[in-house]
Amino acid sequence: MGRVFVAGSINMDVVATAERHPKIGETVAGKEVLYFPGGKGANQAVAAAKQGVLTTLIGRLGEDAFGRDLRTFLAAQSIDLGSVKDTAGAHTGTAVITVAKSDNTIVVIPGANALVDAADVAAASFAKGDVAVSQFEIPLPAIAAFFGHARASGATTILNPAPARAVGRELLDLVDILVLNETELGALTGAELGENDEPMYFIEAARPLRGKNRSVCITLGRRGVLALVGGEAVLIPGRNVKAVDTTGAGDCFVGALAAQLALGKEIRDALAYANAAASICVQRMGAAQSMPTAAEVAAVLR
Ligand code: ATP
Ligand code: RIB
């Protein structure tokens, strides 16, 4: 069995729930304030570890109360935290999130995440069959070093280019599998896309990202996932569930996909599995703590 290595952000999510999102300049009364472990890197590592795959997280925390709480939570998920550094003089990454009617807005203050560097990721000891995962909440040079190292050892690389920003050819050339939503697809390709566009429109927009043999997976929220695998379009419909909080759904998808690939599963099967895992995640509040176990996903797929 391969392992999963995630280089990425670790945040405390400070979540305000309300009946609706405020308009710019408006104040609305909230219902609750909640503190949830989050950060795209941590969420994806939890999602992979809960599938029973050995998972290493590489990242940074501040030397503060959020950092200590997050380390305790992540250790309890059986994640290898040997490469998570406590960083003096920086605060732990913090995300300020509003959740209303299952949808969210997020402001991320990176703190220690912004200090992850190439030396931090050099410790990962990859072997063939391992899977390396990253996202855009740590600096790009660290991601490039991480993927370069993974590729040189025969590991598979997965990039989730979120939050959306353009990506240079050099980094893209190190990516085997891209997992992105329609906003991120627009940022990478310059295409004008809306969440309700026809699936085939997304596939055409994604084709230039395919390169020689890259798989491109576009997550479509409740509509499921669309992928270009070996040049062929694959549509996996979303599962009909009642979403309460979609924060971390994309991360659940990425982590579950990485775990399935580390277990040696074929990509189409791994995508269907990740779609089922993410449909469980959206039915729970919070990000990292809403990731399902392998038994929960198996029950949905039965
Ligand atoms: P986030 O940034 O909130 O983590 P995202 O935009 O990266 O999310 P989405 O495309 O919204 O990712 O969702 C990822 C996956 O989660 C989808 O491909 C699907 O499998 C699942 N999913 C999301 N929302 C729903 C929903 N309402 N019902 C069922 N499945 C969902
Ligand atoms: O993808 C969801 C995550 O984005 C949240 O947990 C928040 O920390 C932000 O990084």
Side-chain angles (χ1 to χ4, degrees):
M1 186 205 293
R3 294 168 301 170
V4 172
F5 291 83
V6 182
S9 56
I10 312 169
N11 296 334
M12 182 60 81
D13 292 352
V14 183
V15 179
T17 60
E19 278 302 325
R20 65 175 178 82
H21 293 284
K23 298 187 193 108
I24 290 171
E26 188 193 20
T27 303
V28 298
K31 291 195 280 193
E32 276 182 299
V33 62
L34 304 157
Y35 294 81
F36 291 128
K40 294 183 190 301
N43 296 341
Q44 294 176 12
V46 173
K50 290 196 93 167
Q51 296 307 312
V53 172
L54 287 177
T55 302
T56 296
L57 178 60
I58 301 161
R60 286 186 183 237
L61 293 164
E63 288 181 337
D64 49 24
F66 280 172
R68 286 187 288 278
D69 288 353
L70 287 164
R71 188 177 282 279
T72 303
F73 170 80
L74 293 167
Q77 315 304 309
S78 304
I79 296 171
D80 165 22
L81 300 179
S83 297
V84 173
K85 282 189 190 165
D86 291 329
T87 308
H91 68 81
T92 295
T94 307
V96 178
I97 303 181
T98 316
V99 175
K101 295 193 172 67
S102 86
D103 254 329
N104 62 55
T105 62
I106 306 182
V107 176
V108 183
I109 306 97
N113 296 307
L115 301 174
V116 176
D117 62 20
D120 293 349
V121 303
S125 53
F126 293 108
K128 195 167 164 44
D130 289 344
V131 181
V133 183
S134 198
Q135 338 67 29
F136 280 172
E137 286 186 338
I138 58 170
L140 298 194
I143 301 172
F146 179 62
F147 282 170
H149 186 30
R151 270 281 181 85
S153 314
T156 299
T157 59
I158 302 181
L159 178 66
N160 172 219
R165 56 177 288 179
V167 53
R169 179 57 54 186
E170 261 177 47
L171 179 56
L172 200 56
D173 282 347
L174 293 169
V175 176
D176 295 313
I177 303 173
L178 265 176
V179 182
L180 69 187
N181 67 17
E182 78 282 348
T183 310
E184 292 137 15
L185 179 61
L188 262 64
T189 59
E192 297 265 325
L193 301 166
E195 62 174 348
N196 295 319
D197 287 344
E198 282 300 310
M200 282 308 136
Y201 192 50
F202 292 117
I203 282 292
E204 287 320 307
R207 276 195 199 281
L209 296 176
R210 237 201 105 224
K212 282 199 193 106
N213 198 20
R214 184 174 306 115
S215 297
V216 184
C217 314
I218 309 141
T219 61
L220 302 174
R222 62 185 165 73
R223 293 202 290 169
V225 60
L226 191 56
L228 258 177
V229 179
E232 188 190 314
V234 180
L235 175 63
I236 296 160
R239 302 181 81 89
N240 193 8
V241 299
K242 185 167 169 20
V244 298
D245 178 12
T246 60
T247 312
D251 299 330
C252 180
F253 188 94
V254 171
L257 174 68
Q260 288 294 294
L261 296 175
L263 289 168
K265 297 288 158 48
E266 201 271 329
I267 187 162
R268 289 173 187 76
D269 295 337
L271 289 169
Y273 188 98
N275 182 57
S279 77
I280 299 172
C281 170
V282 300
Q283 296 175 68
R284 302 169 177 168
M285 281 300 294
Q289 69 182 41
S290 63
M291 303 305 168
T293 61
E296 288 171 325
V297 184
V300 159
L301 287 171
R302 249 196 306 271

